[in-house]
């Protein structure tokens, strides 16, 4: 059963801790109830003893009774009853005093200290969570400021490009010289006449310049126009609401519907008469919350004077300008601004915008780093406090057990006649089981396992830069130009190289089961999180369990688990609805189809991890108990649900999945590699990849526009002069449909390759022979009948006869030089595109571990 440190986590950190502290405060109330019972019992015993003690004095006040008969038997009976009354009074007074001395006073002091410990932990964690949340909000504001600055830079660049570009005149025939244009003396007059003859398409009509002038003049004089304040950006003049413009178009231009009026407004934006302010984009809509500014082109064409911005506002701030968004937002800057001695003299508006964008980017990066440090400190503090609180709760339950024992002991030591009551109280004391109560608390009030939420730096231009932790797995692999991220391969190679340094197989197996303090893992994480290149030398100062814990921390901080949470419901169905008499083969087949939906980077990384673990289990002869412990430890690193609920916390589907990956690794991943190969071959034979959806991310709009313009230019050039096919000899071998298996989600190659290119993808040379584990080779290698490797699908080398198979034909060649009898060596050569990749294995060396070589690929 997991402890507090693995059970009360949530996405916002506060929810899980709130549940825990609610239960701990309930324990404080339970302590007070037990203390109240003991105190009231002591008061009752004291009152009862005092009342018993008052009986004898009351009877002694009666004269002329038993005092006269000294030797009568009745007198002796009376004296015995009288002495028993006095003894009973003393006994009850001793019980009251014992309860106070043994239960009320010590347990009361302990309860106060326990409540103080709980409250101190709660206050400390609340302060840390508030600080983290405050920094997270500050990071959001810094990110918004940074993106707004980048948008302003882009808008300025677009305006400059449209304002100063020269018209492009494409020649119908590239071979003919461009005719010269003789400039006449009245060039300016002809240029003005040309501009006057410009045609504007607005709605379903086309207007000449002279026709459009009165329409624009009437618009500018009729439509309601004013000033609009936009936070941060300032105040815009000559603005009109979208609803006012639509109302005018319906009333004055005969627009029959709102949609047609919106289309006219969109044409006004397209022709440069309007622009949207305060929002991203250039869409016109009938809304009273969207405002559009009339551009100078509209005033110039209509002949109406344009209202200019008041320049006095820049240098002198009147009293009524305090409410200005510019003054309210940047007042701290204006207070320190010296007009004469500015820190950036002779700076153009473009240079100022670029500088402000860079400065906001640096502030955003610094905020992200500070937030990451606060998050790491918060998680470390939570781990420390949770372990401390777990011990406090266990001590409280033991204290309750001790109180019940002492409470019954005070009575049993004084009044033997109450033995039956004491026996019952002892029975109650025996029924108290602190460990079971702690298990009950965990089973009914858990909120989730340890799941860190990393806030990563988001570059406006979608650059990954040097971030490692918390970044999407495929994005990190693309930035590293590897199939598997560099941090994963580096950690696995480092562990394989240092396993022999440990004494005994028990120590090697225990590397993955050690509970490493989170502070040590975070210290190593901070050391490499923003390193441009990660090498095994960076782990020299850390112990081996900490390096293994770093890999688990990296997998936990991924935005999505290694086996994506999108297939969690499928995995749940596989293990929930499988028949009792179903064979492993049927379940493994369904798992293969499920895992084939993952991205190639996820499959390759999962394959590398499973190779490492299964090899560790085999070489150290691990027993069943170790496999169960390792499976439980790595299950959350491999598969996590998208949302943690009370139902998913009790499910063991992730553990069963990892166990199947251990037991059937070769069957699962060989099939995944075969499916990847068939998909790759299908793309070479003429199959087309699945079309990719066009991204709607506004931050990438500039690159998309430039790519579209470049494609149109290439298309226009190709239509004028079309080149011959670069590979006419391959047309006879073209296939309309691949003969391979079903298509998968793996990226496929969309262009045919020559023999040299297929040969450059590398061949797999396999020769396994180990001293402790004999693995058969040769005929058992997973190759197809025509000699094609199921991993690459193109070329393989026969380890027996020294022959090479290229495209299914046997070609004589020299015997392999690297036919080593000591394991598998898989060379991972560069690839032409990140969309054309295949899975890679690691080499196995029984004496020195794994040598994993992951060479870069051209992106």
């Amino acid at each position: 059963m997991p402890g507090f440190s693995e059970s009360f986590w949530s996405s916002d950190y506060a929810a899980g801790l709130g549940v825990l502290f609610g239960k701990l405060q309930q324990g404080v109330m339970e302590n007070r109830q037990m203390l109240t019972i003991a105190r009231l019992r002591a008061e009752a015993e004291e009152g009862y003893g005092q009342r018993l003690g008052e009986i004898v004095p009351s009877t002694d006040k009666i004269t002329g009774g038993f005092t006269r008969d000294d030797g009568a038997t009745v007198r002796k009976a009376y004296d015995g009853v009288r002495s028993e009354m006095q003894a009973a009074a003393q006994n009850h007074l001793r019980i009251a005093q014992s309860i106070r001395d043994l239960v009320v006073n010590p347990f009361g002091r302990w309860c106060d200290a326990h409540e103080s410990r709980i409250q101190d932990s709660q206050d400390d964690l609340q302060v840390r969570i508030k600080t983290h949340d405050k920094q997270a909000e500050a990071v959001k504001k810094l990110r918004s400021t940074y993106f707004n600055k980048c948008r302003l830079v882009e808008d300025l660049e677009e305006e400059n490009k449209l304002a100063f570009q020269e018209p492009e005149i494409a020649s119908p025939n590239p071979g003919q010289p461009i005719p010269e244009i003789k400039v006449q003396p009245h060039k300016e007059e002809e240029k003005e006449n040309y501009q006057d003859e410009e045609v504007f398409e607005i709605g379903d009509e086309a207007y000449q310049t002279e026709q459009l002038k009165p329409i624009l003049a009437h618009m500018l004089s009729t439509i309601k126009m004013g000033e609009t304040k936009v936070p941060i950006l300032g105040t815009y003049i000559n603005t009109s609401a979208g609803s006012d413009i639509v109302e005018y178009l319906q009333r004055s231009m005969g627009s029959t519907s709102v949609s047609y009026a919106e289309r006219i407004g969109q044409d006004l934006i397209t022709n440069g008469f309007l622009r949207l302010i305060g929002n991203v984009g250039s869409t016109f809509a009938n809304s009273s919350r969207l405002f559009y500014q009339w551009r100078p082109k509209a005033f110039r064409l209509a002949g109406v004077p344009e209202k200019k911005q008041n320049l006095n506002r820049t240098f002198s701030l009147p009293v009524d300008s305090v409410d200005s968004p510019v003054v309210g937002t940047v007042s701290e800057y204006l207070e320190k601004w010296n007009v004469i001695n500015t820190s950036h003299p002779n700076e153009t508006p473009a240079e100022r915008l670029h500088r402000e964008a860079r400065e906001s980017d640096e502030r955003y990066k610094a905020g992200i780093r500070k937030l990451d440090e606060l998050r790491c400190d918060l998680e470390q503090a939570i781990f420390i406090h949770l372990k401390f609180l777990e011990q406090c709760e266990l001590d409280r339950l033991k204290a309750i057990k001790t109180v019940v024992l002492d409470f019954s002991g005070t009575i049993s030591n004084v009044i033997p006649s109450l033995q039956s009551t004491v026996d019952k109280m002892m029975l109650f004391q025996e029924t108290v089981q602190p460990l079971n109560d702690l298990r009950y608390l965990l089973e009914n009030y858990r909120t989730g396992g340890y799941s860190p939420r990393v806030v990563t730096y988001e570059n406006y231009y979608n650059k990954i830069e040097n971030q490692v932790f918390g970044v999407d797995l495929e994005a990190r692999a693309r930035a590293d130009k590897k199939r598997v991220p560099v941090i994963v391969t580096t950690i696995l190679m480092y562990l394989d190289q240092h396993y022999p340094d440990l004494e005994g197989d028990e120590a090697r197996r225990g590397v993955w089961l050690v509970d490493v303090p989170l502070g040590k893992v975070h210290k190593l994480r901070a050391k490499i999180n923003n390193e441009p290149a990660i090498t095994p030398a960076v782990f020299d100062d850390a112990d081996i369990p900490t390096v293994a814990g770093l890999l688990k921390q990296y997998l936990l901080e991924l935005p999505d688990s290694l086996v994506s949470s999108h297939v969690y419901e499928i995995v749940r169905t596989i293990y929930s609805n499988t028949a009792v008499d179903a064979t492993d083969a049927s379940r493994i087949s369904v798992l293969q189809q499920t895992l084939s939906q993952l991205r190639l980077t996820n499959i390759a990384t999962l394959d590398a991890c499973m190779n490492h673990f299964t090899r560790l289990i085999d070489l150290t002869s691990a027993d069943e108990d170790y496999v169960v412990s390792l499976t439980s430890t790595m299950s959350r690193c491999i598969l996590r649900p998208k949302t943690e609920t009370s139902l998913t916390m009790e499910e063991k589907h992730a553990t069963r999945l990892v166990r199947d990956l251990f037991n059937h690794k070769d069957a699962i991943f060989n099939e995944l590699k075969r499916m990847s190969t068939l998909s790759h071959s299908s793309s070479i034979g003429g199959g087309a990849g699945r079309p990719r959806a066009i991204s709607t991310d506004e931050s990438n709009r500039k690159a998309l526009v430039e790519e579209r313009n470049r494609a149109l230019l290439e298309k226009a050039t190709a239509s004028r002069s079309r080149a011959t096919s670069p590979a006419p000899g391959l047309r006879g071998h073209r296939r309309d449909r691949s003969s391979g298996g079903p298509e998968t989600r793996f990226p496929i190659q969309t262009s045919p390759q020559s023999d040299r290119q297929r040969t450059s993808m590398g061949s797999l040379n396999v020769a396994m022979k180990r001293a402790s584990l004999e693995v058969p080779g040769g005929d058992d290698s997973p190759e197809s009948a025509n000699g094609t490797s199921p991993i690459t699908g193109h070329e393989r080398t026969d380890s027996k006869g020294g022959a090479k198979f290229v495209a299914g034909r046997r070609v004589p060649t020299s015997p392999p030089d690297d036919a080593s009898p000591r394991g598998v060596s898989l060379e991972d050569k560069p690839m032409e595109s990140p969309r054309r990749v295949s899975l890679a294995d690691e080499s196995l060396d029984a004496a020195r571990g794994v040598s994993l070589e992951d060479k870069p690929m051209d992106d």
Side-chain angles (χ1 to χ4, degrees):
M1 192 67 187
F4 280 12
S5 60
E6 301 173 357
S7 303
F8 292 99
W9 296 86
S10 58
S11 58
D12 58 350
Y13 298 106
L17 294 177
V19 174
L20 173 61
F21 281 110
K23 293 300 297 178
L24 294 178
Q25 292 296 337
Q26 177 183 337
V28 172
M29 296 296 105
E30 293 173 358
N31 294 341
R32 292 181 180 177
Q33 288 178 326
M34 290 296 299
L35 187 62
T36 302
I37 287 178
R39 185 178 66 253
L40 293 179
R41 178 60 184 267
E43 294 175 358
E45 291 289 343
E46 184 179 16
Y48 185 50
Q50 290 177 352
R51 294 296 301 273
L52 288 177
E54 294 173 358
I55 293 176
V56 174
S58 298
T59 57
D60 290 343
K61 293 178 181 180
I62 301 175
T63 60
F66 289 104
T67 55
R68 293 185 178 184
D69 299 328
D70 295 336
T73 57
V74 179
R75 170 71 183 271
K76 292 181 180 180
Y78 168 76
D79 290 338
V81 172
R82 182 175 178 275
S83 62
E84 286 297 326
M85 290 292 180
Q86 291 178 339
Q90 293 298 325
N91 289 336
H92 283 286
L93 291 177
R94 283 197 297 269
I95 290 175
Q97 190 61 37
S98 298
I99 291 176
R100 290 191 179 96
D101 294 340
L102 299 179
V103 178
V104 176
N105 294 335
F107 186 63
R109 291 191 297 268
W110 187 91
C111 288
D112 294 338
H114 175 76
E115 183 178 2
S116 177
R117 289 191 293 267
I118 298 299
Q119 191 63 42
D120 291 343
S121 294
Q122 186 174 5
D123 293 341
D124 181 67
L125 290 179
Q126 282 182 349
V127 170
R128 292 176 182 271
I129 291 175
K130 288 181 180 179
T131 304
H132 173 269
D133 294 343
K134 183 178 180 180
Q135 182 63 23
E137 292 298 327
V139 165
K140 291 181 181 179
K141 294 180 180 179
L142 291 173
R143 176 181 178 274
S144 177
T145 302
Y146 165 55
F147 278 30
N148 289 334
K149 294 295 183 182
C150 292
R151 291 189 183 100
L152 292 176
V153 171
E154 279 192 353
D155 292 341
L156 181 62
E157 293 175 353
E158 291 295 331
E159 291 178 359
N160 292 337
K161 184 164 58 176
L162 294 176
F164 299 105
Q165 69 178 359
E166 297 181 357
E168 298 180 0
I169 303 176
S171 175
N173 190 349
Q176 295 181 358
I178 299 176
E180 298 182 356
I181 300 176
K182 297 182 179 180
V183 180
Q184 299 297 331
H186 302 285
K187 177 180 178 181
E188 297 295 334
E189 296 179 0
E190 293 181 359
K191 184 175 181 180
E192 292 178 359
N193 295 333
Y194 174 76
Q195 291 179 351
D196 293 341
E197 295 176 359
E198 185 178 357
V199 178
F200 299 93
E201 294 183 1
I202 300 177
D204 295 333
E205 303 292 336
Y207 298 91
Q208 298 289 339
T209 303
E210 293 298 330
Q211 296 175 341
L212 191 60
K213 280 184 178 181
I215 297 176
L216 286 177
H218 190 262
M219 283 184 179
L220 296 176
S221 60
T222 305
I223 297 176
K224 183 180 178 181
M225 193 180 306
E227 295 184 354
T228 302
K229 296 181 179 180
V230 179
I232 299 176
L233 299 181
T235 301
Y236 291 86
I237 62 174
N238 302 327
T239 59
S240 302
S243 57
D244 295 338
I245 298 175
V246 170
E247 181 181 358
Y248 169 82
L249 295 177
Q250 288 182 321
R251 184 178 64 252
S252 301
M253 297 190 67
S255 177
T256 58
S257 62
V258 175
S259 61
Y260 182 67
E262 289 182 342
R263 188 151 65 91
I264 294 177
Q266 188 65 45
D267 291 339
L268 293 175
I269 294 177
T270 304
N271 287 287
F273 299 129
L274 287 175
R275 72 164 177 171
L276 177 63
I277 62 172
N279 289 276
V280 179
S282 58
T283 303
F284 184 85
N286 178 25
S287 174
S288 60
R289 296 185 178 182
L290 296 180
F291 290 88
Y292 301 87
Q293 184 182 39
W294 293 93
R295 307 192 106 181
K297 181 179 180 180
F299 290 97
R300 185 173 61 254
L301 188 60
V304 177
E306 179 184 3
K307 182 181 178 181
K308 299 295 183 179
Q309 186 75 27
N310 186 9
L311 298 179
N312 293 331
R313 183 176 178 175
T314 304
F315 301 97
S316 61
L317 299 176
V319 178
D320 57 352
S321 65
V322 177
D323 296 334
S324 173
V326 176
V327 177
T329 305
V330 295
S331 59
E332 63 273 13
Y333 297 104
L334 295 177
E335 291 174 357
K336 301 178 182 179
W337 184 34
N338 190 344
V339 181
I340 300 176
N341 296 325
T342 179
S343 59
H344 302 282
N346 301 326
E347 189 180 41
T348 64
E351 293 173 348
R352 179 179 59 83
L353 289 178
H354 281 285
R355 175 179 56 80
E356 292 176 351
R358 289 193 302 271
E359 292 175 352
S360 61
D361 187 16
E362 293 300 325
R363 288 192 294 270
Y364 177 36
K365 289 180 180 178
I368 284 290
R369 288 193 294 268
K370 182 177 179 181
L371 177 60
D372 197 60
E373 294 175 0
L374 291 176
R375 181 190 62 81
C376 293
D377 293 339
L378 173 61
E379 291 177 357
Q380 296 174 27
I382 290 176
F383 261 104
I384 295 173
H385 281 279
L386 288 181
K387 291 183 178 180
F388 172 74
L389 293 174
E390 182 177 2
Q391 186 63 40
C392 290
E393 182 65 11
L394 185 60
D395 292 341
R396 186 189 72 84
L397 297 173
K398 292 180 179 179
I400 295 293
K401 184 180 180 72
T402 303
V403 165
V404 176
L405 178 63
D406 294 340
F407 189 75
S408 61
T410 55
I411 301 175
S412 64
N413 292 335
V414 179
I415 307 178
S417 61
L418 300 179
Q419 188 62 41
S420 61
T421 303
V422 173
D423 293 339
K424 292 181 180 179
M425 295 180 69
M426 291 295 293
L427 180 61
F428 296 152
Q429 181 265 347
E430 290 293 338
T431 59
V432 177
Q433 298 180 0
L435 292 177
N436 289 344
D437 289 351
L438 192 62
R439 180 187 296 271
Y440 172 80
L441 188 152
L442 290 170
E443 289 177 350
N444 291 276
Y445 295 97
R446 293 176 61 200
T447 59
Y450 174 53
S451 181
R453 294 293 183 266
V454 183
V455 179
T456 58
Y457 165 73
E458 299 178 26
N459 187 273
Y460 181 80
Y461 303 101
N462 294 332
K463 295 179 181 179
I464 299 299
E465 294 190 349
N466 297 327
Q467 295 182 101
V468 176
F469 289 84
V471 180
D472 181 72
L473 188 69
E474 186 174 12
R476 183 66 263 166
R478 288 184 178 274
D480 294 339
K481 297 185 178 179
K482 303 287 184 180
R483 297 188 180 95
V484 180
V486 171
I487 183 174
V488 177
T489 56
T490 304
I491 291 177
L492 294 180
M493 285 191 299
Y494 179 84
L495 293 176
D496 285 328
Q497 292 172 0
H498 287 77
Y499 279 143
D501 299 338
L502 301 177
E503 296 182 0
D505 291 340
E506 186 68 25
R508 299 184 182 98
R509 291 193 297 265
V511 167
W512 293 97
L513 302 183
V514 175
D515 187 10
V516 182
L518 188 61
K520 295 177 64 176
V521 177
H522 278 166
K523 182 178 180 181
L524 183 58
R525 174 190 181 275
K527 185 177 179 181
I528 68 173
N529 188 24
N530 294 304
E531 287 294 327
I534 302 175
T535 59
V538 76
F539 304 131
D540 291 341
D541 296 336
D543 53 3
I544 297 180
T546 303
V547 178
L550 182 66
L551 179 59
K552 291 187 285 187
Q553 183 75 13
Y554 172 76
L555 296 178
L556 288 174
E557 290 189 4
L558 289 176
D560 194 6
S561 55
L562 198 53
V563 177
S564 177
S565 59
H566 297 294
V567 301
Y568 183 84
E569 294 298 330
I570 302 177
V571 174
R572 171 192 287 175
T573 305
I574 292 174
Y575 291 108
S576 299
N577 301 336
T578 304
V580 178
D581 56 347
T583 61
D584 289 344
S586 60
R587 186 177 70 256
I588 297 307
S589 177
V590 179
L591 281 178
Q592 291 167 351
Q593 295 296 328
T594 302
L595 295 179
S596 67
Q597 302 178 29
L598 302 179
R599 299 177 298 184
L600 183 58
T601 303
N602 291 58
I603 298 178
T605 305
L606 181 63
D607 186 20
C609 294
M610 291 303 106
N611 277 334
H612 183 89
F613 291 129
T614 54
R615 189 166 46 250
L616 176 64
I617 293 172
D618 293 340
L619 295 181
T620 59
S621 302
D623 55 5
E624 180 66 19
D625 293 338
Y626 175 76
V627 176
V628 172
S629 300
L630 181 61
T631 302
S632 177
T633 300
M634 298 303 300
S635 59
R636 282 190 61 80
C637 299
I638 302 301
L639 174 62
R640 298 185 298 276
K642 188 174 183 180
T643 303
E644 192 83 45
T645 62
S646 58
L647 180 62
T648 58
M649 285 187 294
E650 300 299 329
E651 293 176 345
K652 304 298 181 182
H653 306 317
T655 305
R656 297 183 64 186
L657 172 64
V658 177
R659 187 60 184 268
D660 279 343
L661 291 176
F662 284 170
N663 295 338
H664 308 282
K665 181 188 74 68
D666 294 336
I668 293 175
F669 287 100
N670 286 344
E671 177 63 19
L672 292 178
K673 295 171 187 176
R674 187 187 68 82
M675 297 170 71
S676 174
T677 303
L678 293 178
S679 177
H680 182 73
S681 301
S682 174
S683 66
I684 295 177
R690 186 169 52 189
R692 300 178 62 185
I694 299 176
S695 173
T696 59
D697 188 1
E698 186 269 337
S699 63
N700 203 24
R701 58 177 182 176
K702 182 177 180 180
L704 293 176
V705 171
E706 293 178 355
E707 183 178 358
R708 177 177 177 273
N709 294 336
R710 188 165 52 251
L712 292 176
L713 182 60
E714 293 177 355
K715 183 177 180 181
T717 305
S719 64
R720 294 191 299 265
S721 175
R722 187 176 302 276
T724 59
S725 174
L730 295 177
R731 294 182 179 178
H733 299 284
R734 182 179 181 276
R735 294 177 295 175
D736 293 334
R737 182 176 179 84
S738 174
S739 59
E743 295 183 358
T744 65
R745 294 185 60 186
F746 298 131
I748 61 176
Q749 184 172 342
T750 57
S751 61
Q753 293 179 326
S754 63
D755 291 343
R756 179 177 301 176
Q757 291 172 330
R758 290 194 296 267
T759 305
S760 65
M761 296 182 66
S763 60
L764 180 64
N765 299 326
V766 181
M768 288 187 177
K769 184 174 297 183
R770 297 178 300 192
S772 58
L773 298 176
E774 284 293 335
V775 180
D779 297 335
D780 295 337
S781 60
E783 297 177 347
S784 58
N786 64 350
T788 305
S789 170
I791 297 178
T792 61
H794 299 288
E795 177 186 28
R796 72 175 179 86
T797 302
D798 190 354
S799 60
K800 293 183 178 181
K804 181 170 66 176
F805 291 86
V806 180
R809 294 179 298 175
R810 185 181 181 92
V811 180
T813 183
S814 59
D817 296 332
D818 56 346
S820 174
R822 302 192 55 177
V824 179
S825 174
L826 179 60
E827 185 178 5
D828 190 5
K829 294 187 176 181
M831 299 182 296
E832 295 178 353
S833 172
R835 301 287 300 173
R836 301 194 296 270
V837 293
S838 60
L839 297 178
D841 293 334
E842 299 83 359
S843 60
L844 176 65
D845 193 326
R848 300 187 57 187
V850 176
S851 174
L852 178 61
E853 184 179 4
D854 195 3
K855 295 186 178 180
M857 62 181 179
D858 297 331
D859 191 358

